[in-house]
Amino acid sequence: MTAMSSVSIKTTIAAKPEFKFGKNKVSANNVNVFYGDKHALKDVTVNIPEKAVMAFIGPSGCGKSTFLRCLNRMNDTIPIAKVTGKVEIDNQDIYDKALDVVQLRARVGMVFQKPNPFPKSIYENIAYGPKIHGLAASKSDLNEIVEASLKKAGLWDEVKDRLSDSGTGLSGGQQQRLCIARAIAVSPEIILMDEPCSALDPIATARIEELIDELRENFTIVIVTHSMQQAARVSQRTAFFHLGVLVEEGTTDTIFTNPNDSRTQDYITGRFG
Amino acid sequence: MASHIVTAFENELREINRKVAEMGGLAEKSVVDSIDALIKRDTILAQRVIAGDTRLDQLQREIEDDAITLIAKRQPLAVDLREVVSAIRICNDLERVGDLAKNTAKRVLALKGEYQAPALLRGVEHMSEIVLEQLKEVLDAFGARDAARAMAVWKRDGAVDDLYTSLFRELLTYMMEDPRQITMCTHLLFAAKNVERIGDHATNIAETVHYLVVGEQLADERPKSDASSMTTVAYPKG
Amino acid sequence: MAFEVVADSLGAQAKDSSKTVANIAVRRRRETIFKICGLLATSFGLITLALLLIDLAAAGFPRLSWDFFTNFPSRRASQAGILSAWVGSLLVILTTASIGVPLGVGAGIYLEEYGRRNWLTSIIEINITNLAGVPSIVFGLLALGLFVYGLGTGRSIFTAGLTLALLILPIIVVATREAIRAVPAALREAAYGIGCTKWQVTRDHVLPASLPGILTGVIIGISRALGETAPLITIGALTFIAFLPDSPISSEFPFVSFSWLFDGFTVLPIQAFNWISRPGSDFHANAAAAGIVLLAITLGLNAIAIYARYKLRKKLQW
């Protein structure tokens, strides 16, 4: 009797193509926000990689929107808000006294929960930003910026024949894409989105999500969303906030299949929140 | 863990788990019965095993339907998602276990009236005892969500494979010695193969339990030592 | 247990359905009674106003003619006109608006957009609200002491404009603040979000959006100023005036002249008051005719305001 010795054949299996994160675009260190006596955000420390989508999830009032608004100093417009800690974009402290907040907001665009186009024409909606920042040297420059921005926002074909119509006459989804185009028009590096799809129907939502996926190539995107599925679909990294604390941050795959913290697990599986 | 805010979600998950547990019990029973029928040449028991397989098939379809509906309706995430995926995987394994037991039972019917040397059965019996223990252990591990116990089952599968390889060789030798035993031995060989594959499914379930609890797929290669496919026996001279 | 209680009360309700029907009938009757009361209250005001207007029209209409607008006042009722009065009214209102609107809107914007919430702004706010309730005669006394004697601006159109501007300032400030406050926060956020300065936000977005509201306030204020008599009499507006102020347009460079600002004047309500206090029904007809003109101007201004607001709102549309 002979038994053939087993032949071991080494096969190398190609590793799953994982998303490669670039360098950190934003890094926040021990950020605290107070609204009067209310301690709304507690010691948040997180890095946001460039050219990727980062999602902030968590129950209402958990501080995710508050933190988002720290990144373009939108909290400055609220008189009782006080921010401590350090937020750096490209290693530059954005709360530095020498930094011009107007300049910052040109670098960090924002899209809001409810579509809020200016009550002006579609053209003016896009052209206004480049105009106030002096980005267009001539009328034809401006036309180019408007067209390019609308194209990037996937709205050009729908509105090119009615640029002088009011922006508020568009459908909800179109209005939101107009707002995204308006943000793109001033060539920001980062786009903040505060629940951009919460007022939209599923088809319009799908369009925005598709758009976010495309924009990821050129922009760093931070999105606050109440829809866990949306966070799972569009983002590469996810951070979970609860009661003003950043509970857990990691790759989206990990957060949604195997989160570390039991609070994250309970929230995303619908056990509290 | 806290229960879901949506009670219906909680109940649906629980129902799926209950069905998987029921399938586990049924599959285990049909394996026990099929081996019993083989050893005792009990055709009635064998027929009962064959008939009982339809319930397993039905349960498997129900679990898959329930799981698909739940995914569509609730979009489960994290541990819930792993629960549902695990249920689908485990019910597939259990359905296969049922099929293998049924196949063994059919062989009992085919062997009716064949000559049988009791010594031949001892190997199969011993092997099936070990595999049954494995199956029982892994189903308990699933019930208790115990990854460590599941991993213990996973590591023991090598022993079953070794046993099968030696049984294979033994039966081959018997057949050479006495051609009258060929029918019997061939059927026994397949029965043994069935048992060995039930062991493989137990190992699959162990992997699933590990995934369910830990949240990561097993990266290691399973300890395989079934060398029967590379085993030959020299024809005895003289 | 709780279920039983609910079921019981449901049963009780079902049993008492006849009671419920009776109850509904009572409620319906009360509704009708209130409707009638409301209608009476409304029609009382409307009918009185209509009667007044008809009376005014009947008395004054025959006197309305081209001459009435182009003649100076005269001792003879049939020759008397309102030329100096309506020109005076126009110039006073022009002065009032050019002083009151920028001040009022400016103050409103400051208080709403720039003013930090502290004790000083609180005091200013309270004062503005109180100012709106001050009787107009007090403004007249203030103007007499402060402008006529204190600053020596004389009994002129400028003094009158200044006084009326003060009078309508609170109205414009409050209207401006309300209008600015009604601008959706989303619009402001959108503007700040693309990097607007506060002034850009205010000028390019908040003001255009609040313009209809501000305009309403301005018109209400001007209508009020147009009808004011007491403070103007206090500062010494003339009641009989047979000359026009200097022309605002001159033939020499720079073609505009402001010397009219310091001329004496009269206004429509004073003229009407003057005529009505004379004996003789002829002069009373003149007063009624002047009243019609004043009413027409006020209604006309309101109509323009409503139309402008409608147009602006349509342009905004969110």
Side-chain angles (χ1 to χ4, degrees), chain A residues 8-13, chain B residues 151 154-155 157-158 203 207 217-225:
Chain A
S8 81
I9 304 163
K10 270 256 164 50
T11 47
T12 45
I13 305 155
Chain B
M151 285 327 289
W154 188 77
K155 288 197 185 103
D157 189 55
T203 324
E207 284 175 5
Q217 303 270 17
L218 270 177
D220 300 347
E221 194 80 6
R222 161 158 44 149
K224 264 263 171 210
S225 52

Side-chain angles (χ1 to χ4, degrees), chain A residues 229 256-258 265 269-271, chain B residues 2 4-5 75 78 80 82 214:
Chain A
Q229 276 72 30
F256 287 107
T257 58
N258 191 20
Q265 172 111 289
T269 56
R271 286 180 163 83
Chain B
H4 287 93
I5 295 164
Q75 285 114 47
D80 296 340
R82 302 203 303 265
V214 180

Side-chain angles (χ1 to χ4, degrees), chain B residues 16 19 34 36 39 43 68 70 72 81 156 197 211 216:
Chain B
I16 288 176
K19 280 181 180 160
S34 68
D36 258 17
I39 288 160
T43 51
I68 288 165
L70 186 132
L81 181 60
R156 276 202 298 271
R197 274 156 78 185
Y211 169 72
E216 278 160 23

Side-chain angles (χ1 to χ4, degrees), chain A residues 90-116:
Chain A
D90 290 336
N91 300 319
Q92 184 190 9
D93 185 359
I94 64 166
Y95 280 87
D96 192 337
K97 289 260 189 317
L99 184 124
D100 183 7
V101 70
V102 167
Q103 213 57 46
L104 172 72
R105 289 187 192 138
R107 286 173 66 197
V108 186
M110 191 158 190
V111 176
F112 298 86
Q113 183 172 4
K114 211 178 132 237
N116 56 354

